[in-house]
Amino acid sequence: MADHVSPWMTEELSILRDQARRFLEREFVPHRERWDKAGIVDRDAWRKAGAAGLLCASIPEAYGGGGGTRAHDLVIAEEIGRAGLGGGFGAGSGVHSNIVAHYLLAYGTEAQKLRWLPGMATGDRVGAVAMTEPNTGSDLKSVRTAARRDGDVYVLNGQKTFITNGQNADLIVVVAKTDPAAGARGVSLLVVETASAAGFRRGRNLEKIGMHAQDTSELFFDDVRVPAENLLGETEGQGFVQLMVQLAWERLSCAHGAVVAMERAVELTAAYVKERKAFGAPLISFQNTQFKLAEAKTQAVVARTFVDDLTVKLLAGTLDPTTAAMAKWWTTDTQCRVIDECLQLFGGYGYMTEYPIARMYADARVQKIYAGTNEIMKMLIARAL
Ligand SMILES: Cc1cc2nc3c(=O)[nH]c(=O)nc-3n(C[C@H](O)[C@H](O)[C@H](O)COP(=O)(O)OP(=O)(O)OC[C@H]3O[C@@H](n4cnc5c(N)ncnc54)[C@H](O)[C@@H]3O)c2cc1C
C-alpha cells in the first residue's frame, strides 16, 4: 500500500527499494511477456540482477553477498512482486537467494561457502533445492533418492520433480537418503554442481497454469558421483532438521509475497472500477463494488499487519515455526480469495491474460501448495495446540 510504512523499514531500505524499482522497470519489465512465452527467464538476467545487488542481499560481504539482513531480501522481493515479476524471476530468485544461499551459509563449511556463495551473488551460478519426488512431496522423510557412500564420493540415484529453477540451476541442494533405513534421521543434503555431474539430466520444463516464466522442472540422477565434501554439514543424517530450521523463513517469505499480491490487486482493481462504466455509471458507484473492495482492502491490511509483526520477530531472531505456518496458510488462502474477488470486478477483461489481474490469479494458486501445503501448515499448528 502506497500509504503504509512497515515498522521494520529504514532509510537505507527505502533507498534500496527505489533502486530495485528503477532497475526492474528498466531492465526486466520490458522482457516479461517474452519470458512468459519462453517459460524461462534469460540466463543473463540473473547476472544483471547480481550486478544490481538484487541477489543474496542478506549474505555477508565476505562471501560476495550484500551484507544486509532478511529485510533487504524482503524489500527486493516486494519490488519484484510489484513489478509483476513474482511468478517468474521472483519465484526463482526467492529460492536462490532466500533459501539455497541460506542453506549454504547456515550449514556449509568455510570452504563450501567461499566456493559457492560468491558465484550465487553475481548470478553466475543459479541455485535450486530439490526435495519433491514424483511419489512424495508432503511426506519429506519418505524420499527415495539415495546417496550411497563409495570412498570419497556419494553415488546419487533418484528423480525429483516440480523443481524451481530446474533448467537454469548450476548448484542443486538435493535431499537424499544416506541411510534408507533410518527414516527422517537418514536424510542428508548434498550439493550437486551440474557442470561436473555426469549422470545428471534435466527433464521437461513443466507446463503450469501460472508462473509461466518460472522454469519448474524434473531432474534425474543416475549414478551421479558427488564428492563427499559436497555434503552440507559435518555429518550425515542432519538434512531433515536442516530443512525444518530454514522453513520458518521460507514460509514467511511466501506470506510476504501474498501480501504484496493482495495490495497490488486492490490497487489495480480500484483504478479499473473508477474508469469502467456500466449502466451509465462507473463500477465504483455500485455498492457491491465498494463492499467487495472494502473487504479486499481490509484483508490486505490485516495480512500486512500480521506479516509486519512476524518480520520484526524474524529480524530479532524470535520468529517461531508455528506462527510462520499460520502466516503461510492464512495469507496465501486470503490472497487467492482476494484476487478472485478483484478479478470478478474486471468482468471479461479479468479473464484475459493481457490484464495483470488474470496472471495474478493463475500465479496465486500455487502459493497454497508449495513450501508445505496449507493442510500441512494446519497440521503443524494443531500439533502445537
Ligand atoms: C510451481 C511449483 C514449484 C515448486 N518448487 C519446488 C522446489 O523448488 N523444490 C521442491 O522440492 N519442491 C517444489 N515444489 C513441490 C511442492 O513443494 C510440493 O508439490 C508440495 O510440497 C506438495 O507435495 P505433493 O505435490 O507431492 O502433494 P502430496 O503430498 O501428494 O499432497 C496431495 C494433497 O494431499 C494433502 N495431504 C498430504 N498429506 C496430508 C496429511 N497428512 N493430512 C492432510 N492432507 C494431506 C496435501 O495437502 C495435498 O492437498 C513445487 C511445486 C510447484 C507446483
Side-chain angles (χ1 to χ4, degrees), residues 212-235:
H212 292 302
Q214 169 38 230
D215 49 315
T216 311
S217 307
E218 301 167 319
L219 303 175
F220 300 93
F221 304 88
D222 295 311
D223 284 331
V224 179
R225 296 178 76 78
V226 183
E229 66 197 32
N230 285 21
L231 179 75
L232 263 192
E234 303 291 323
T235 50

PDB file of all heavy atoms in Angstrom, residues 212-235:
ATOM      1  N   HIS A 212       4.362 -18.603 -15.495  1.00  0.00           N
ATOM      2  CA  HIS A 212       4.850 -19.123 -16.772  1.00  0.00           C
ATOM      3  C   HIS A 212       6.331 -18.895 -17.010  1.00  0.00           C
ATOM      4  O   HIS A 212       6.969 -19.677 -17.702  1.00  0.00           O
ATOM      5  CB  HIS A 212       4.028 -18.527 -17.926  1.00  0.00           C
ATOM      6  CG  HIS A 212       2.614 -19.039 -17.917  1.00  0.00           C
ATOM      7  ND1 HIS A 212       2.307 -20.365 -17.987  1.00  0.00           N
ATOM      8  CD2 HIS A 212       1.430 -18.394 -17.805  1.00  0.00           C
ATOM      9  CE1 HIS A 212       0.998 -20.532 -17.929  1.00  0.00           C
ATOM     10  NE2 HIS A 212       0.438 -19.342 -17.805  1.00  0.00           N
ATOM     11  N   ALA A 213       6.882 -17.824 -16.476  1.00  0.00           N
ATOM     12  CA  ALA A 213       8.298 -17.548 -16.757  1.00  0.00           C
ATOM     13  C   ALA A 213       9.239 -18.311 -15.828  1.00  0.00           C
ATOM     14  O   ALA A 213      10.450 -18.191 -15.928  1.00  0.00           O
ATOM     15  CB  ALA A 213       8.571 -16.048 -16.652  1.00  0.00           C
ATOM     16  N   GLN A 214       8.672 -19.106 -14.937  1.00  0.00           N
ATOM     17  CA  GLN A 214       9.496 -19.861 -13.996  1.00  0.00           C
ATOM     18  C   GLN A 214       9.773 -21.257 -14.560  1.00  0.00           C
ATOM     19  O   GLN A 214       8.847 -21.964 -14.962  1.00  0.00           O
ATOM     20  CB  GLN A 214       8.754 -19.920 -12.656  1.00  0.00           C
ATOM     21  CG  GLN A 214       9.286 -20.844 -11.608  1.00  0.00           C
ATOM     22  CD  GLN A 214      10.790 -20.948 -11.506  1.00  0.00           C
ATOM     23  OE1 GLN A 214      11.320 -22.042 -11.498  1.00  0.00           O
ATOM     24  NE2 GLN A 214      11.491 -19.830 -11.457  1.00  0.00           N
ATOM     25  N   ASP A 215      11.063 -21.628 -14.601  1.00  0.00           N
ATOM     26  CA  ASP A 215      11.433 -22.956 -15.128  1.00  0.00           C
ATOM     27  C   ASP A 215      11.335 -23.989 -14.008  1.00  0.00           C
ATOM     28  O   ASP A 215      12.248 -24.163 -13.221  1.00  0.00           O
ATOM     29  CB  ASP A 215      12.826 -22.939 -15.766  1.00  0.00           C
ATOM     30  CG  ASP A 215      13.900 -22.295 -14.900  1.00  0.00           C
ATOM     31  OD1 ASP A 215      13.635 -21.218 -14.343  1.00  0.00           O
ATOM     32  OD2 ASP A 215      14.992 -22.882 -14.782  1.00  0.00           O
ATOM     33  N   THR A 216      10.200 -24.635 -13.951  1.00  0.00           N
ATOM     34  CA  THR A 216       9.913 -25.642 -12.927  1.00  0.00           C
ATOM     35  C   THR A 216      10.067 -27.003 -13.600  1.00  0.00           C
ATOM     36  O   THR A 216       9.371 -27.280 -14.581  1.00  0.00           O
ATOM     37  CB  THR A 216       8.466 -25.466 -12.409  1.00  0.00           C
ATOM     38  OG1 THR A 216       8.250 -24.092 -12.085  1.00  0.00           O
ATOM     39  CG2 THR A 216       8.194 -26.332 -11.209  1.00  0.00           C
ATOM     40  N   SER A 217      10.961 -27.840 -13.095  1.00  0.00           N
ATOM     41  CA  SER A 217      11.374 -28.990 -13.913  1.00  0.00           C
ATOM     42  C   SER A 217      11.517 -30.287 -13.164  1.00  0.00           C
ATOM     43  O   SER A 217      11.609 -30.321 -11.940  1.00  0.00           O
ATOM     44  CB  SER A 217      12.741 -28.696 -14.546  1.00  0.00           C
ATOM     45  OG  SER A 217      12.694 -27.483 -15.211  1.00  0.00           O
ATOM     46  N   GLU A 218      11.614 -31.339 -13.990  1.00  0.00           N
ATOM     47  CA  GLU A 218      12.012 -32.653 -13.493  1.00  0.00           C
ATOM     48  C   GLU A 218      13.531 -32.731 -13.531  1.00  0.00           C
ATOM     49  O   GLU A 218      14.162 -32.122 -14.398  1.00  0.00           O
ATOM     50  CB  GLU A 218      11.488 -33.741 -14.435  1.00  0.00           C
ATOM     51  CG  GLU A 218       9.994 -33.754 -14.617  1.00  0.00           C
ATOM     52  CD  GLU A 218       9.577 -34.637 -15.792  1.00  0.00           C
ATOM     53  OE1 GLU A 218      10.251 -34.615 -16.843  1.00  0.00           O
ATOM     54  OE2 GLU A 218       8.577 -35.340 -15.644  1.00  0.00           O
ATOM     55  N   LEU A 219      14.100 -33.486 -12.595  1.00  0.00           N
ATOM     56  CA  LEU A 219      15.554 -33.704 -12.593  1.00  0.00           C
ATOM     57  C   LEU A 219      15.810 -35.188 -12.378  1.00  0.00           C
ATOM     58  O   LEU A 219      15.096 -35.838 -11.610  1.00  0.00           O
ATOM     59  CB  LEU A 219      16.220 -32.913 -11.457  1.00  0.00           C
ATOM     60  CG  LEU A 219      16.018 -31.394 -11.400  1.00  0.00           C
ATOM     61  CD1 LEU A 219      16.663 -30.827 -10.136  1.00  0.00           C
ATOM     62  CD2 LEU A 219      16.597 -30.714 -12.639  1.00  0.00           C
ATOM     63  N   PHE A 220      16.839 -35.695 -13.051  1.00  0.00           N
ATOM     64  CA  PHE A 220      17.166 -37.127 -12.927  1.00  0.00           C
ATOM     65  C   PHE A 220      18.626 -37.300 -12.523  1.00  0.00           C
ATOM     66  O   PHE A 220      19.506 -36.600 -13.036  1.00  0.00           O
ATOM     67  CB  PHE A 220      16.937 -37.832 -14.268  1.00  0.00           C
ATOM     68  CG  PHE A 220      15.515 -37.735 -14.733  1.00  0.00           C
ATOM     69  CD1 PHE A 220      15.116 -36.701 -15.590  1.00  0.00           C
ATOM     70  CD2 PHE A 220      14.557 -38.642 -14.305  1.00  0.00           C
ATOM     71  CE1 PHE A 220      13.796 -36.585 -16.004  1.00  0.00           C
ATOM     72  CE2 PHE A 220      13.236 -38.537 -14.711  1.00  0.00           C
ATOM     73  CZ  PHE A 220      12.852 -37.496 -15.568  1.00  0.00           C
ATOM     74  N   PHE A 221      18.863 -38.226 -11.627  1.00  0.00           N
ATOM     75  CA  PHE A 221      20.223 -38.513 -11.152  1.00  0.00           C
ATOM     76  C   PHE A 221      20.473 -40.014 -11.326  1.00  0.00           C
ATOM     77  O   PHE A 221      19.814 -40.828 -10.670  1.00  0.00           O
ATOM     78  CB  PHE A 221      20.358 -38.145  -9.673  1.00  0.00           C
ATOM     79  CG  PHE A 221      19.992 -36.702  -9.387  1.00  0.00           C
ATOM     80  CD1 PHE A 221      18.671 -36.341  -9.108  1.00  0.00           C
ATOM     81  CD2 PHE A 221      20.954 -35.704  -9.417  1.00  0.00           C
ATOM     82  CE1 PHE A 221      18.322 -35.022  -8.856  1.00  0.00           C
ATOM     83  CE2 PHE A 221      20.614 -34.374  -9.165  1.00  0.00           C
ATOM     84  CZ  PHE A 221      19.290 -34.033  -8.888  1.00  0.00           C
ATOM     85  N   ASP A 222      21.377 -40.351 -12.235  1.00  0.00           N
ATOM     86  CA  ASP A 222      21.694 -41.762 -12.481  1.00  0.00           C
ATOM     87  C   ASP A 222      23.167 -42.009 -12.202  1.00  0.00           C
ATOM     88  O   ASP A 222      24.026 -41.604 -12.989  1.00  0.00           O
ATOM     89  CB  ASP A 222      21.379 -42.140 -13.947  1.00  0.00           C
ATOM     90  CG  ASP A 222      19.900 -42.041 -14.232  1.00  0.00           C
ATOM     91  OD1 ASP A 222      19.122 -42.589 -13.441  1.00  0.00           O
ATOM     92  OD2 ASP A 222      19.528 -41.366 -15.223  1.00  0.00           O
ATOM     93  N   ASP A 223      23.444 -42.629 -11.079  1.00  0.00           N
ATOM     94  CA  ASP A 223      24.837 -42.915 -10.676  1.00  0.00           C
ATOM     95  C   ASP A 223      25.717 -41.667 -10.755  1.00  0.00           C
ATOM     96  O   ASP A 223      26.836 -41.723 -11.270  1.00  0.00           O
ATOM     97  CB  ASP A 223      25.428 -44.032 -11.556  1.00  0.00           C
ATOM     98  CG  ASP A 223      24.907 -45.408 -11.151  1.00  0.00           C
ATOM     99  OD1 ASP A 223      24.593 -45.585  -9.952  1.00  0.00           O
ATOM    100  OD2 ASP A 223      24.793 -46.280 -12.028  1.00  0.00           O
ATOM    101  N   VAL A 224      25.185 -40.559 -10.260  1.00  0.00           N
ATOM    102  CA  VAL A 224      25.970 -39.316 -10.260  1.00  0.00           C
ATOM    103  C   VAL A 224      26.978 -39.397  -9.102  1.00  0.00           C
ATOM    104  O   VAL A 224      26.590 -39.634  -7.951  1.00  0.00           O
ATOM    105  CB  VAL A 224      25.055 -38.076 -10.073  1.00  0.00           C
ATOM    106  CG1 VAL A 224      25.891 -36.797 -10.056  1.00  0.00           C
ATOM    107  CG2 VAL A 224      24.018 -38.020 -11.175  1.00  0.00           C
ATOM    108  N   ARG A 225      28.256 -39.223  -9.414  1.00  0.00           N
ATOM    109  CA  ARG A 225      29.298 -39.314  -8.377  1.00  0.00           C
ATOM    110  C   ARG A 225      29.559 -37.909  -7.823  1.00  0.00           C
ATOM    111  O   ARG A 225      30.145 -37.068  -8.494  1.00  0.00           O
ATOM    112  CB  ARG A 225      30.560 -39.960  -8.954  1.00  0.00           C
ATOM    113  CG  ARG A 225      30.280 -41.416  -9.384  1.00  0.00           C
ATOM    114  CD  ARG A 225      31.477 -42.093 -10.001  1.00  0.00           C
ATOM    115  NE  ARG A 225      32.493 -42.502  -9.032  1.00  0.00           N
ATOM    116  CZ  ARG A 225      32.409 -43.567  -8.254  1.00  0.00           C
ATOM    117  NH1 ARG A 225      31.338 -44.345  -8.296  1.00  0.00           N
ATOM    118  NH2 ARG A 225      33.374 -43.868  -7.414  1.00  0.00           N
ATOM    119  N   VAL A 226      29.054 -37.687  -6.611  1.00  0.00           N
ATOM    120  CA  VAL A 226      29.153 -36.364  -5.979  1.00  0.00           C
ATOM    121  C   VAL A 226      30.273 -36.425  -4.935  1.00  0.00           C
ATOM    122  O   VAL A 226      30.246 -37.315  -4.066  1.00  0.00           O
ATOM    123  CB  VAL A 226      27.823 -35.998  -5.273  1.00  0.00           C
ATOM    124  CG1 VAL A 226      27.895 -34.590  -4.689  1.00  0.00           C
ATOM    125  CG2 VAL A 226      26.650 -36.131  -6.235  1.00  0.00           C
ATOM    126  N   PRO A 227      31.258 -35.522  -4.995  1.00  0.00           N
ATOM    127  CA  PRO A 227      32.324 -35.555  -3.990  1.00  0.00           C
ATOM    128  C   PRO A 227      31.748 -35.545  -2.577  1.00  0.00           C
ATOM    129  O   PRO A 227      30.805 -34.780  -2.301  1.00  0.00           O
ATOM    130  CB  PRO A 227      33.120 -34.271  -4.264  1.00  0.00           C
ATOM    131  CG  PRO A 227      32.776 -33.899  -5.670  1.00  0.00           C
ATOM    132  CD  PRO A 227      31.390 -34.413  -5.932  1.00  0.00           C
ATOM    133  N   ALA A 228      32.309 -36.363  -1.695  1.00  0.00           N
ATOM    134  CA  ALA A 228      31.792 -36.444  -0.319  1.00  0.00           C
ATOM    135  C   ALA A 228      31.869 -35.084   0.364  1.00  0.00           C
ATOM    136  O   ALA A 228      31.062 -34.763   1.232  1.00  0.00           O
ATOM    137  CB  ALA A 228      32.575 -37.490   0.467  1.00  0.00           C
ATOM    138  N   GLU A 229      32.818 -34.257  -0.060  1.00  0.00           N
ATOM    139  CA  GLU A 229      32.954 -32.928   0.552  1.00  0.00           C
ATOM    140  C   GLU A 229      31.770 -32.005   0.196  1.00  0.00           C
ATOM    141  O   GLU A 229      31.672 -30.899   0.736  1.00  0.00           O
ATOM    142  CB  GLU A 229      34.270 -32.273   0.118  1.00  0.00           C
ATOM    143  CG  GLU A 229      34.314 -31.961  -1.352  1.00  0.00           C
ATOM    144  CD  GLU A 229      35.726 -31.701  -1.883  1.00  0.00           C
ATOM    145  OE1 GLU A 229      36.671 -32.296  -1.355  1.00  0.00           O
ATOM    146  OE2 GLU A 229      35.841 -30.922  -2.839  1.00  0.00           O
ATOM    147  N   ASN A 230      30.885 -32.457  -0.687  1.00  0.00           N
ATOM    148  CA  ASN A 230      29.700 -31.646  -1.022  1.00  0.00           C
ATOM    149  C   ASN A 230      28.521 -31.896  -0.086  1.00  0.00           C
ATOM    150  O   ASN A 230      27.444 -31.318  -0.260  1.00  0.00           O
ATOM    151  CB  ASN A 230      29.248 -31.913  -2.459  1.00  0.00           C
ATOM    152  CG  ASN A 230      30.167 -31.249  -3.471  1.00  0.00           C
ATOM    153  OD1 ASN A 230      31.315 -30.939  -3.158  1.00  0.00           O
ATOM    154  ND2 ASN A 230      29.678 -31.040  -4.680  1.00  0.00           N
ATOM    155  N   LEU A 231      28.728 -32.751   0.917  1.00  0.00           N
ATOM    156  CA  LEU A 231      27.688 -32.951   1.939  1.00  0.00           C
ATOM    157  C   LEU A 231      27.561 -31.657   2.743  1.00  0.00           C
ATOM    158  O   LEU A 231      28.558 -31.078   3.160  1.00  0.00           O
ATOM    159  CB  LEU A 231      28.110 -34.098   2.873  1.00  0.00           C
ATOM    160  CG  LEU A 231      27.149 -34.422   4.013  1.00  0.00           C
ATOM    161  CD1 LEU A 231      25.926 -35.180   3.503  1.00  0.00           C
ATOM    162  CD2 LEU A 231      27.867 -35.261   5.078  1.00  0.00           C
ATOM    163  N   LEU A 232      26.320 -31.203   2.957  1.00  0.00           N
ATOM    164  CA  LEU A 232      26.136 -29.975   3.755  1.00  0.00           C
ATOM    165  C   LEU A 232      26.067 -30.330   5.235  1.00  0.00           C
ATOM    166  O   LEU A 232      25.232 -31.155   5.635  1.00  0.00           O
ATOM    167  CB  LEU A 232      24.842 -29.277   3.358  1.00  0.00           C
ATOM    168  CG  LEU A 232      24.926 -28.138   2.363  1.00  0.00           C
ATOM    169  CD1 LEU A 232      23.604 -27.405   2.323  1.00  0.00           C
ATOM    170  CD2 LEU A 232      26.056 -27.174   2.655  1.00  0.00           C
ATOM    171  N   GLY A 233      26.912 -29.727   6.029  1.00  0.00           N
ATOM    172  CA  GLY A 233      27.003 -30.089   7.439  1.00  0.00           C
ATOM    173  C   GLY A 233      28.106 -31.113   7.599  1.00  0.00           C
ATOM    174  O   GLY A 233      28.492 -31.771   6.656  1.00  0.00           O
ATOM    175  N   GLU A 234      28.585 -31.220   8.802  1.00  0.00           N
ATOM    176  CA  GLU A 234      29.764 -32.064   9.030  1.00  0.00           C
ATOM    177  C   GLU A 234      29.449 -33.550   8.920  1.00  0.00           C
ATOM    178  O   GLU A 234      30.280 -34.331   8.501  1.00  0.00           O
ATOM    179  CB  GLU A 234      30.353 -31.771  10.412  1.00  0.00           C
ATOM    180  CG  GLU A 234      30.731 -30.309  10.643  1.00  0.00           C
ATOM    181  CD  GLU A 234      31.922 -29.855   9.809  1.00  0.00           C
ATOM    182  OE1 GLU A 234      32.839 -30.665   9.631  1.00  0.00           O
ATOM    183  OE2 GLU A 234      31.919 -28.700   9.352  1.00  0.00           O
ATOM    184  N   THR A 235      28.219 -33.922   9.307  1.00  0.00           N
ATOM    185  CA  THR A 235      27.906 -35.358   9.332  1.00  0.00           C
ATOM    186  C   THR A 235      26.608 -35.645   8.580  1.00  0.00           C
ATOM    187  O   THR A 235      25.782 -34.754   8.375  1.00  0.00           O
ATOM    188  CB  THR A 235      27.713 -35.861  10.790  1.00  0.00           C
ATOM    189  OG1 THR A 235      26.797 -34.960  11.431  1.00  0.00           O
ATOM    190  CG2 THR A 235      29.019 -35.889  11.552  1.00  0.00           C
TER     191      THR A 235
END
